[in-house]
Coordinates of all heavy atoms in Angstrom, one line a residue:
F22 N 8.0 -3.2 5.3 CA 9.1 -4.0 5.8 C 9.4 -5.1 4.8 O 10.6 -5.4 4.6 CB 8.6 -4.7 7.2 CG 9.5 -5.8 7.7 CD1 10.7 -5.5 8.3 CD2 9.2 -7.1 7.5 CE1 11.5 -6.5 8.8 CE2 10.0 -8.1 7.9 CZ 11.2 -7.8 8.5
A23 N 8.4 -5.8 4.2 CA 8.6 -6.9 3.3 C 9.5 -6.5 2.1 O 10.4 -7.3 1.7 CB 7.3 -7.4 2.8
I24 N 9.3 -5.3 1.6 CA 10.1 -4.8 0.5 C 11.6 -4.8 0.9 O 12.5 -5.3 0.1 CB 9.7 -3.3 0.1 CG1 8.3 -3.4 -0.5 CG2 10.7 -2.7 -0.9 CD1 7.7 -2.0 -0.6
R25 N 11.9 -4.3 2.0 CA 13.3 -4.3 2.5 C 13.8 -5.7 2.8 O 14.9 -6.1 2.4 CB 13.5 -3.4 3.7 CG 13.1 -2.0 3.5 CD 13.1 -1.1 4.8 NE 14.4 -1.1 5.4 CZ 15.4 -0.3 5.0 NH1 15.2 0.5 3.9 NH2 16.5 -0.3 5.6
H26 N 13.0 -6.5 3.5 CA 13.3 -7.8 4.0 C 13.6 -8.8 2.8 O 14.5 -9.6 2.8 CB 12.2 -8.3 4.8 CG 12.4 -9.7 5.4 ND1 13.4 -10.0 6.3 CD2 11.8 -10.9 5.1 CE1 13.4 -11.3 6.6 NE2 12.4 -11.9 5.9
L27 N 12.8 -8.6 1.7 CA 12.9 -9.5 0.6 C 13.8 -9.0 -0.5 O 13.9 -9.6 -1.6 CB 11.5 -9.9 0.0 CG 10.6 -10.6 1.0 CD1 9.1 -10.6 0.5 CD2 11.1 -12.0 1.3
G28 N 14.3 -7.8 -0.3 CA 15.2 -7.1 -1.3 C 14.5 -6.7 -2.6 O 15.0 -6.9 -3.7
C29 N 13.2 -6.3 -2.5 CA 12.5 -5.9 -3.7 C 12.9 -4.5 -4.2 O 13.4 -3.7 -3.4 CB 11.0 -5.9 -3.3 SG 10.3 -7.5 -2.8
Q30 N 12.6 -4.3 -5.4 CA 12.8 -2.9 -6.0 C 11.6 -2.0 -5.8 O 11.7 -0.8 -5.9 CB 13.1 -3.0 -7.5 CG 14.5 -3.5 -7.9 CD 14.7 -4.9 -7.5 OE1 13.9 -5.8 -7.7 NE2 15.9 -5.2 -6.9
S31 N 10.4 -2.6 -5.5 CA 9.2 -1.8 -5.4 C 8.2 -2.6 -4.7 O 8.4 -3.8 -4.3 CB 8.7 -1.4 -6.8 OG 7.5 -0.6 -6.7
G32 N 7.0 -2.0 -4.4 CA 5.9 -2.7 -3.8 C 4.6 -1.9 -3.9 O 4.7 -0.7 -4.2
V33 N 3.5 -2.5 -3.6 CA 2.2 -1.8 -3.7 C 1.4 -2.3 -2.6 O 1.4 -3.5 -2.3 CB 1.5 -2.2 -5.1 CG1 0.1 -1.7 -5.1 CG2 2.3 -1.5 -6.2
V34 N 0.6 -1.4 -2.0 CA -0.4 -1.9 -1.1 C -1.8 -1.3 -1.5 O -1.8 -0.1 -1.9 CB -0.1 -1.5 0.4 CG1 -0.1 0.0 0.6 CG2 -1.2 -2.1 1.4
I35 N -2.8 -2.1 -1.6 CA -4.1 -1.7 -2.0 C -4.8 -1.2 -0.7 O -5.2 -2.1 0.2 CB -4.9 -2.8 -2.6 CG1 -4.1 -3.4 -3.9 CG2 -6.3 -2.3 -3.1 CD1 -3.9 -2.4 -5.0
T36 N -5.1 0.1 -0.6 CA -5.7 0.6 0.6 C -6.2 2.1 0.3 O -5.6 2.7 -0.5 CB -4.8 0.6 1.8 OG1 -5.5 1.2 2.9 CG2 -3.5 1.5 1.6
A37 N -7.2 2.5 1.0 CA -7.5 3.9 1.0 C -7.5 4.4 2.5 O -8.2 5.3 2.8 CB -8.9 4.2 0.4
S38 N -6.6 3.8 3.2 CA -6.4 4.2 4.6 C -7.7 4.3 5.4 O -8.4 3.3 5.5 CB -5.6 5.5 4.7 OG -5.1 5.8 6.0
H39 N -8.1 5.5 5.9 CA -9.2 5.7 6.7 C -10.4 6.4 6.0 O -11.3 6.9 6.6 CB -8.9 6.5 8.0 CG -8.3 7.8 7.6 ND1 -7.0 8.0 7.2 CD2 -8.8 9.1 7.6 CE1 -6.8 9.3 6.9 NE2 -7.9 10.0 7.2
N40 N -10.3 6.4 4.7 CA -11.4 7.1 3.9 C -12.7 6.3 4.0 O -12.7 5.1 4.4 CB -11.0 7.1 2.4 CG -10.1 8.3 2.1 OD1 -9.0 8.1 1.8 ND2 -10.6 9.5 2.1
P41 N -13.8 6.9 3.7 CA -15.1 6.2 3.7 C -15.1 4.9 2.8 O -14.2 4.8 2.0 CB -16.1 7.2 3.1 CG -15.5 8.6 3.4 CD -14.0 8.3 3.2
K42 N -16.1 4.1 3.0 CA -16.1 2.7 2.4 C -16.2 2.8 0.9 O -15.8 1.8 0.3 CB -17.3 1.9 3.0 CG -18.7 2.5 2.6 CD -19.8 1.7 3.2 CE -21.1 2.3 2.9 NZ -22.2 1.5 3.6
E43 N -16.6 3.9 0.3 CA -16.8 4.0 -1.2 C -15.4 4.0 -1.8 O -15.3 3.8 -3.0 CB -17.6 5.2 -1.6 CG -19.0 5.2 -1.1 CD -19.2 5.6 0.3 OE1 -18.3 6.2 0.9 OE2 -20.3 5.4 0.8
Y44 N -14.3 4.3 -1.0 CA -13.0 4.6 -1.6 C -12.1 3.3 -1.6 O -12.3 2.5 -0.7 CB -12.3 5.7 -0.8 CG -12.8 7.1 -1.1 CD1 -14.0 7.6 -0.5 CD2 -12.0 7.9 -1.9 CE1 -14.4 8.8 -0.8 CE2 -12.5 9.2 -2.1 CZ -13.6 9.7 -1.6 OH -14.1 11.0 -1.8
N45 N -11.2 3.3 -2.5 CA -10.1 2.4 -2.4 C -8.9 3.1 -3.0 O -9.0 4.2 -3.6 CB -10.3 1.1 -3.1 CG -9.6 -0.1 -2.3 OD1 -8.5 0.1 -1.8 ND2 -10.3 -1.2 -2.2
G46 N -7.7 2.5 -2.9 CA -6.5 3.2 -3.4 C -5.3 2.2 -3.6 O -5.5 1.0 -3.4
Y47 N -4.2 2.9 -4.0 CA -3.1 2.1 -4.4 C -1.8 2.9 -4.1 O -1.7 4.0 -4.6 CB -3.2 2.0 -5.9 CG -2.2 1.3 -6.8 CD1 -2.3 0.1 -7.3 CD2 -1.0 2.0 -7.1 CE1 -1.4 -0.5 -8.1 CE2 0.0 1.5 -7.9 CZ -0.3 0.2 -8.5 OH 0.7 -0.4 -9.3
K48 N -1.0 2.4 -3.1 CA 0.2 3.1 -2.7 C 1.4 2.4 -3.3 O 1.5 1.2 -3.1 CB 0.3 3.2 -1.2 CG -0.8 4.2 -0.6 CD -0.3 4.7 0.7 CE -0.4 3.7 1.9 NZ -0.3 4.4 3.2
A49 N 2.2 3.2 -4.0 CA 3.4 2.6 -4.6 C 4.6 2.9 -3.8 O 4.8 4.0 -3.3 CB 3.6 3.1 -6.0
Y50 N 5.5 1.9 -3.6 CA 6.7 2.0 -2.8 C 8.0 1.8 -3.6 O 7.9 1.1 -4.6 CB 6.7 1.0 -1.6 CG 5.6 1.3 -0.6 CD1 4.3 1.1 -0.9 CD2 6.0 1.9 0.6 CE1 3.3 1.4 0.1 CE2 5.0 2.2 1.5 CZ 3.7 2.0 1.3 OH 2.7 2.3 2.2

């Protein structure tokens, strides 16, 4: 939502969704 609301060209969220605790991730928008 923030990408659209703020008129950004891109965005990133640091998450590994529901994976086990050893994991992390990076989703690009």
Side-chain angles (χ1 to χ4, degrees):
F22 170 78
I24 292 166
R25 299 174 61 77
H26 180 67
L27 298 168
C29 298
Q30 282 70 40
S31 183
V33 167
V34 64
I35 305 297
T36 179
S38 191
H39 58 282
N40 278 110
K42 65 182 179 183
E43 295 81 13
Y44 284 77
N45 215 324
Y47 174 108
K48 289 204 286 193
Y50 290 77

